[in-house]
Amino acid sequence: QATRGSVKPFVNFNAKHDAEVLRKAMKGIGTDEDAILMLLAARSNAQRQEIKAAYKKAFGKDLVKDLRSELGGKLEDLIVALMFPSTIYDAHELHKAIKGVGTEDQVLIEILASRTCDEMKDIAKAYKKEYGSKLEKDIMGDTSGHYQRLLETKNKGEPKEEKFGTDEDKFINILGNRSAEHLRRVFDAYKKIAGCDIEESIKDECTGNLEALLLAVVKCAKSVPGYFAESVRESMRRAGTDDETLIRIMVSRSERDMLDVRAMYKKKYGESLYSTIQEDTEGDYQKALLYLCGGND
């Protein structure tokens, strides 16, 4: 999986040299945004952490703080996101979604539906360490009902069989507790029996956050890159670009499966992700996103 990313470790990597380039780009009057984004978008996450350490050692300063003070707007948001260790980034996005004014359910749904069990365990650990509270507890405190139960199941990454009455309960039991491979077989069987896709039934039976979460779980079981191709399309094709979502997807998929997301995008929408980013964004922010995208299909 790691090799399906658009961002790969830089071959002749030298953390100290990179730290010096960044310092030079930020020192004095004006900031060389180009130098910053070209460098950081072309390094792996692990390499960015080494640059952070080298920068601190050489200049006694916090690289992320310096980047924040020198950059602004969406480019700043994107570059700062790239500087988080990836597991901590997921934890940070969840925390922001839960602790902000009103829960940003879209973020909870995206992360809990798309990350693997092992990834979720690591995220929960990082969350506890960073914020001193349990992810599960915070989710439970901020959500309710069937939606809460399915989030809880996805968060724990542990199947447990429960007996409940409604169709919603059955959806939750099955979708919350099975591997993707198992689910795909269930969906095929469902279609034969019910004569329609499980998505159609979910749309008929459920509403709101529960519907959104169930659909995300189904889409991710079918294809995680397919799910992200749809989400990233939606982030740009709505009225006004949803930059928070666009940034989160481009950053979090850049080393996981961006090549597959691009392929699914092209197949679904008949145009490249690269060209949609070109149409929908501008300036240095656009340039950085295109680097993360990694190529035109």
Side-chain angles (χ1 to χ4, degrees):
Q1 166 134 32
T3 54
R4 302 301 299 157
S6 50
V7 174
K8 306 242 191 304
F10 188 69
V11 179
N12 300 312
F13 176 61
N14 180 332
K16 188 168 178 287
H17 171 263
D18 285 352
E20 283 160 7
V21 171
L22 290 171
R23 181 77 187 121
K24 203 171 136 208
M26 292 190 277
K27 234 170 85 174
I29 297 161
T31 303
D32 186 350
E33 281 93 354
D34 248 23
I36 294 171
L37 71 87
M38 282 170 69
L39 190 146
L40 291 174
R43 302 295 182 271
S44 70
N45 192 283
Q47 289 175 335
R48 291 182 209 121
Q49 306 316 313
E50 287 186 53
I51 296 168
K52 216 188 280 182
Y55 190 90
K56 181 89 177 156
K57 196 174 164 198
F59 310 111
K61 292 162 86 73
D62 181 331
L63 175 57
V64 177
K65 271 196 185 129
D66 282 0
L67 288 166
R68 276 189 197 278
S69 69
E70 294 292 329
L71 303 170
K74 297 170 199 168
L75 179 67
E76 177 189 340
D77 294 342
L78 177 59
I79 296 295
V80 169
L82 284 173
M83 295 308 298
F84 277 99
S86 48
T87 305
I88 295 177
Y89 179 60
D90 280 349
H92 170 263
E93 289 294 295
L94 286 169
H95 187 256
K96 205 170 71 181
I98 294 166
K99 291 300 177 200
V101 181
T103 306
E104 288 181 63
D105 290 288
Q106 186 194 346
V107 180
L108 293 186
I109 289 168
E110 177 194 301
I111 293 178
L112 289 169
S114 66
R115 303 305 188 254
T116 64
C117 284
D118 288 343
E119 284 172 337
M120 275 320 301
K121 284 185 181 121
D122 292 341
I123 292 164
K125 261 190 216 128
Y127 189 97
K128 180 89 166 63
K129 196 170 165 224
E130 292 291 307
Y131 305 110
S133 60
K134 285 181 123 169
L135 175 58
E136 185 187 343
K137 198 162 153 265
D138 287 354
I139 289 172
M140 300 306 278
D142 233 44
T143 56
S144 61
H146 287 96
Y147 170 60
Q148 180 192 65
R149 273 227 329 280
L150 182 54
L151 281 173
E152 189 192 6
T153 314
K154 294 310 281 181
N155 175 32
K156 280 199 181 120
E158 296 160 2
K160 61 179 193 299
E161 209 38 86
E162 292 183 50
K163 296 280 177 276
F164 290 103
T166 66
D167 286 341
E168 285 179 338
D169 290 310
K170 285 177 195 133
F171 280 137
I172 287 165
N173 249 338
I174 293 171
L175 292 176
N177 293 329
R178 305 290 187 281
S179 71
E181 190 192 353
H182 181 103
L183 283 176
R184 287 193 293 270
R185 292 204 296 272
V186 171
F187 301 155
D188 290 340
Y190 188 92
K191 195 168 180 172
K192 285 195 186 89
I193 296 161
C196 69
D197 267 332
I198 192 158
E199 279 110 317
E200 302 302 315
S201 298
I202 291 169
K203 285 174 190 164
D204 290 345
E205 295 281 335
C206 311
T207 54
N209 287 328
L210 178 62
E211 178 189 0
L213 177 57
L214 287 165
L215 288 173
V217 171
V218 170
K219 283 170 185 168
C220 287
K222 288 183 175 178
S223 162
V224 170
Y227 168 74
F228 280 109
E230 263 180 54
S231 301
V232 77
R233 174 77 173 185
E234 229 169 67
S235 76
M236 291 187 279
R237 281 295 178 244
R238 286 213 192 103
T241 304
D242 173 0
D243 291 291
E244 281 193 5
T245 300
L246 179 56
I247 289 170
R248 194 174 52 252
I249 293 174
M250 296 305 291
V251 169
S252 66
R253 307 326 287 181
S254 60
E255 286 181 62
R256 280 181 172 117
D257 54 8
M258 184 58 71
L259 302 180
D260 300 323
V261 173
R262 273 168 41 189
M264 295 296 282
Y265 190 95
K266 176 85 187 221
K267 196 171 140 196
K268 265 193 159 104
Y269 304 110
E271 59 181 6
S272 67
L273 176 54
Y274 194 92
S275 64
T276 309
I277 293 171
Q278 276 179 320
E279 285 162 33
D280 246 73
T281 59
E282 54 190 22
D284 291 320
Y285 172 56
Q286 178 198 77
K287 208 178 282 183
L289 286 169
L290 293 175
Y291 269 107
L292 294 180
C293 182
N296 200 346
D297 302 303

